[in-house]
Amino acid sequence: MSSSNMITLALSKGRIFDETLPLLAAAGIEVLEDPEKSRKLILPTNQPNVRVVLVRATDVPTYVEYGGADIGVTGKDTLIEHGGQGLYQPLDLRIAKCRVSVAVRNDFDYAQAVKQGSRLKVATKYTGIARDFFASKGVHVDMVKLYGSMELAPLTGLADAIVDLVSTGNTLKANNLIEVERIMDISSYLVVNQAALKLKQAPLRRIIDAFASAIPAEKN
Ligand code: PRT
Ligand code: MG
């Protein structure tokens, strides 16, 4: 875990950073530099004992698991693929919401392709989620692991289907893809290093409680 009485918070740039700012504000924490303008990877805050480290979204659980950061904010998608071992997950922050879905080309016969006992070529960054989902349907999957731009795979013949995050659906639409199944709803979670939670209990509790009080209301 990060040293002595310093609290280190791991965030990724972009939507997670942006949507975590109001929660930090509720804890009286203000980040003193804009990650879009600064090249720094460690950002100071107005609290001398709290700092933010900027890591790739997929690396947040790893940083917190091994104590490179005491706490972090990460998507449930990333958490499931990581496995969540060694992480205390006290709060669903209800931010950065989206869903994991199956999408195909709009001229592809998905219903026919997923009949029991069939094979489907699936491209995704979410191989764990995709494997479990298709196994539960009895569909055999040839998995193609990708790290980005999943939408391209069905358009180039690399795969029949993709498993990817969908928010507005605009990216799928722009690429002539359709969402054929929703696998799960996603939001971001607060994750805490288990040793840090014991050794830095008071300052971490303060942050967890302040975040809890500032979680956006469920809109349904
Ligand atoms: O982008 P980079 O490769 O650096 O990393 P990353 O994609 O892992 O990070 P980032 O910041 O893009 O996403 C971090 C987390 O935000 C994800 O793990 C999700 O939990 C959450 N999130 C919420 C999203 C979206 N909404 C989202 N729409 N992450 C990605 N997207 C992408 C999606 O992959 C697709 O390409 O946006 C596109 C679809 O958006 P719509 O609105 O067109 O449907
Ligand atoms: Mg991204």
Side-chain angles (χ1 to χ4, degrees):
M1 119 203 62
S2 87
S3 66
S4 60
N5 55 2
M6 176 66 82
I7 299 293
T8 301
L9 167 66
L11 295 176
S12 52
K13 277 206 250 188
R15 69 190 101 221
I16 297 221
F17 183 89
D18 297 344
E19 295 188 35
T20 301
L21 285 184
L23 301 173
L24 285 170
I29 300 165
E30 193 190 321
V31 184
L32 298 178
E33 276 184 71
D34 178 353
E36 300 304 331
K37 292 185 183 134
S38 169
R39 288 176 172 271
K40 284 189 187 165
L41 298 174
I42 300 182
L43 306 180
T45 74
N46 65 331
Q47 310 278 321
N49 67 328
V50 180
R51 62 180 186 172
V52 170
V53 292
L54 296 173
V55 304
R56 282 296 293 263
T58 43
D59 292 335
V60 168
T62 307
Y63 265 81
V64 176
E65 177 187 2
Y66 294 109
D70 301 301
I71 50 176
V73 176
T74 183
K76 189 73 184 176
D77 49 316
T78 305
L79 207 43
I80 290 172
E81 291 295 326
H82 169 268
Q85 62 276 12
L87 298 174
Y88 175 56
Q89 302 169 30
L91 291 177
D92 176 357
L93 300 174
R94 297 199 214 130
I95 60 169
K97 285 184 167 187
C98 57
R99 54 195 185 267
V100 182
S101 290
V102 183
V104 298
R105 274 167 57 152
N106 51 27
D107 59 2
F108 182 78
D109 189 349
Y110 180 73
Q112 182 60 36
V114 296
K115 290 230 168 94
Q116 286 278 334
S118 59
R119 292 196 86 82
L120 190 71
K121 202 163 186 187
V122 175
T124 187
K125 159 175 160 184
Y126 302 104
T127 52
I129 293 171
R131 208 174 290 286
D132 286 354
F133 177 71
F134 287 108
S136 75
K137 294 167 70 76
V139 175
H140 298 285
V141 161
D142 295 316
M143 201 70 76
V144 180
K145 167 87 185 185
L146 291 177
Y147 293 88
S149 301
M150 264 75 85
E151 295 87 357
L152 204 50
L155 306 178
T156 53
L158 185 66
D160 303 317
I162 59 172
V163 169
D164 194 10
L165 302 176
V166 180
S167 173
T168 61
N170 291 338
T171 306
L172 293 180
K173 207 172 295 165
N175 291 292
N176 301 312
L177 301 173
I178 48 168
E179 186 178 4
V180 285
E181 284 199 85
R182 180 189 283 235
I183 300 179
M184 64 177 75
D185 288 325
I186 296 293
S187 55
S188 281
Y189 281 67
L190 189 67
V191 292
V192 184
N193 176 278
Q194 287 179 343
L197 189 63
K198 294 194 187 91
L199 293 159
K200 302 178 184 181
Q201 196 168 14
L204 283 174
R205 266 287 149 215
R206 263 197 301 279
I207 293 172
I208 294 167
D209 292 345
F211 273 38
S213 72
I215 290 173
E218 198 77 79
K219 25 177 171 13
N220 272 326

